[in-house]
Amino acid sequence: MTDKSNPADLAGMFTGLFQQQAELAQQMFGQLAPATAAAGEDEAVGDLAQWASVAQRLQTLWLDFQREQASQAAGKLPSLLLADPGNFAGIMQGWLKALPLSSPETQKRMWDESMALWEGVLGQYGIGPRAHEKGAGGVELPRKDRRFADPKWRDQPFYALVHQTYLLLAEQIMAMAENAETGDPARTEQLKFAARTLVEALSPAHFPMTNPLVVEKTMATRGENLVKGMEHLLADMRRGQLTHVDPAAFRLGENIASTPGKVIKQTPLYQLVQYSPTTESVLEVPLVIFPPWINRFYILDLSPEKSFIRWAVEQGITVFVVSWKSADESMKDVVWDDYIRAQIDAIDTVRERLGVKSVHTIGYCVAGTTLAATLAVLARRGEADKVKSATFFTAQIDFEKSGELKVFIDDQQLDALTKLSAQTGYLDGRYMAATFNLLRGNDLIWNYVVKNYLLGEDYPAFDLLHWNGDVTNLPAKWHMSYLKDLYRDNKLVVPDALSADGTPIDLTRIETPAYVQAGREDHIAPAASVWRLTRHLRGPWTFLLAGSGHIAGVVNPPSARKYQYWTNEGPAETFDDFVQGATETPGSWWPHWLGWLRRQDQAEVPVKGKRVPGGKGDTVLEDAPGTYVKSR
């Protein structure tokens, strides 16, 4: 058996690996040399011309982009795709210094484990000291990952060794982060996040010469995929944002956000949309939906088959939705109080318009956080009866266990965010989008880097991802107080620690019936964090855990027959108690919510008068979805 510590044996092993890599590179670029072409001189010359054309076009694209950047007017935002004005990369490097990567013990352990892995992997191909382990059933590698599921990652030992080594090192780095003694739980979470971000970025799938799919595509298209990928990359750099879908695939009001309705009110902060009924009678109590202002409201009105709004209208509900304005310089002084006042104003507008005492409400994500504060303000003012019920979609109110977003909340990063928005008074929505993308880097960043930049694939048409890229700007003052007062200091759950519009906020005064929905796989508002709202309510509540995450867990129409949800009718003091005693039901949770809503008030009225927006004598501003959803 070969001695793995013998330099000569190790040199021979690595020489063989590099020889294979050199042969792959020669195969890939061999067409540049007419003398090596097998199909004759004329075809070889044509191949050479093709590769020369590819090289020339790549160079031209890059030079043109550089000239554009150089000629941009002073004061314009830099390319947000690659720029790091908040020095987040530098902050992460500081976090990573806590890893014991340079200690002799760590290096020896990593070396020993790597050598054992290399010998085992190469043995699968009949190479090296464990060549006798090669089996007749094909290659069986020790580590599996869906990023390397394609058989091409196992067809040749070089690619197998590359990705298996990467997975081993990724495991080791993540284990170091998990076990690091930082003395501070928040610091540990930052370290784990930085380590994960690092290992995700360094995947061999992200580099052309170590990704067999890219090598094969480049050979098959004779480099055209690289040209197309460069075009995609530069378009994103000009846009300052990663593109996930075909930009021309969706048109607001036509094949997305197309539920018929009218804008019945506009303020400097929001437009109020009322949807046209499709049933002869409707619930007397209307529904007012408050979506998050971090993105556009039409997450609840995607393509017709996915639209929660269209579905709710079809169930005989009079539906209103608030369309928030994307922040501009005119909103530099907007704070949380303004959003709470806006929610109360929308509630009062609907009550007056339809002549009803109360409304049902839905608050999604951060608008759900604000809805809780709104309910507390109304309760303190003796006006709680304005709201018949409150539904919370993946909304955090108690931020003690708020998950990975907390890694972005420290003094250094808060100071960087303050500087970013100092000139304009608002935070550009592309920074927030990049933050959320980082939380799911493999799915929302690197997957598209490979497909769109390296493989040069066309963009898909996916309504949810179109919405995900339709970002909104955030008022700087509100955003900073939200991060400090809620995420960092968790003041909302402390009675009277915060106030809005001159009224102290005490969540324990809320007696409004509440329906609290969470997503089992939610990485933005973890289910255990959403659950904590139930610990602060005085009135009756129902908690439901939906399959999937922050978006797909909410947007799950019955017709899709996807996922599942869990309920628990018994007593549950903790989220773990709820899970242990929960009953699983397949499919959408929307019908369960509808049953709960109808139990709050079953009275119905005929559809007439202002239940039909834009009817006789009704003054409306414009058709849904309105101009605020189209503004940036």
Side-chain angles (χ1 to χ4, degrees), residues 503-530:
T503 302
I505 296 172
D506 180 359
L507 299 181
T508 64
R509 292 175 175 266
I510 300 174
E511 298 183 5
T512 305
Y515 188 100
V516 182
Q517 178 268 342
R520 183 180 65 170
E521 299 166 16
D522 196 333
H523 62 287
I524 294 173
S529 181
V530 173

Side-chain angles (χ1 to χ4, degrees), residues 83-253:
D84 188 15
N87 191 31
F88 183 65
I91 293 171
M92 284 211 307
Q93 286 179 3
W95 295 343
L96 289 169
K97 287 180 181 177
L99 293 179
L101 289 168
S102 60
S103 74
E105 295 83 1
T106 298
Q107 292 188 353
K108 183 179 185 306
R109 186 184 71 253
M110 293 175 72
W111 173 255
D112 291 343
E113 292 182 11
S114 297
M115 287 303 305
L117 172 73
W118 295 339
E119 288 186 356
V121 170
L122 291 175
Q124 294 282 309
Y125 297 88
I127 301 173
R130 292 169 61 179
H132 62 281
E133 296 181 5
K134 181 179 181 181
V139 174
E140 185 63 35
L141 299 176
R143 287 169 173 80
K144 293 178 173 58
D145 188 289
R146 62 188 176 91
R147 290 171 291 174
F148 310 108
D150 192 287
K152 294 181 181 63
W153 286 100
R154 301 185 297 278
D155 286 348
Q156 298 189 39
F158 169 71
Y159 294 119
L161 195 60
V162 164
H163 87 264
Q164 288 289 300
T165 302
Y166 161 75
L167 291 174
L168 169 66
L169 295 177
E171 286 177 6
Q172 293 175 328
I173 290 174
M174 290 307 300
M176 288 182 212
E178 185 74 38
N179 299 322
E181 297 180 1
T182 64
D184 179 5
R187 176 78 169 174
T188 299
E189 290 304 312
Q190 287 180 327
L191 179 59
K192 287 161 60 178
F193 176 82
R196 194 191 74 208
T197 302
L198 171 69
V199 299
E200 286 178 350
L202 294 179
S203 166
H206 306 156
F207 302 92
M209 288 301 294
T210 54
N211 187 327
L213 284 75
V214 176
V215 172
E216 181 180 75
K217 184 72 175 286
T218 302
M219 293 298 298
T221 66
R222 298 197 297 176
E224 291 297 331
N225 62 301
L226 301 179
V227 176
K228 194 170 183 179
M230 177 66 82
E231 291 172 346
H232 288 160
L233 170 63
L234 297 183
D236 284 357
M237 292 179 71
R238 291 185 179 97
R239 182 169 172 253
Q241 189 178 353
L242 193 70
T243 298
H244 292 123
V245 295
D246 179 0
F250 297 100
R251 296 170 300 281
L252 288 170

Side-chain angles (χ1 to χ4, degrees), residues 392-455:
F392 298 88
F393 288 173
T394 62
Q396 295 185 97
I397 284 80
D398 185 329
F399 287 80
E400 182 179 343
K401 299 182 181 297
S402 54
E404 283 192 324
L405 275 173
K406 270 196 169 182
V407 305
F408 299 100
I409 315 299
D410 61 21
D411 291 342
Q412 189 176 7
Q413 293 179 86
L414 292 176
D415 182 60
L417 285 173
T418 300
K419 292 176 181 176
L420 281 176
S421 53
Q423 257 190 326
T424 61
Y426 64 84
L427 181 70
D428 191 294
R430 291 171 289 182
Y431 290 115
M432 184 64 68
T435 298
F436 285 119
N437 286 344
L438 275 173
L439 295 178
R440 291 179 56 199
N442 280 334
D443 293 330
L444 294 177
I445 298 177
W446 299 112
N447 177 47
Y448 293 92
V449 166
V450 174
K451 287 184 176 180
N452 303 131
Y453 298 164
L454 299 182
L455 295 174

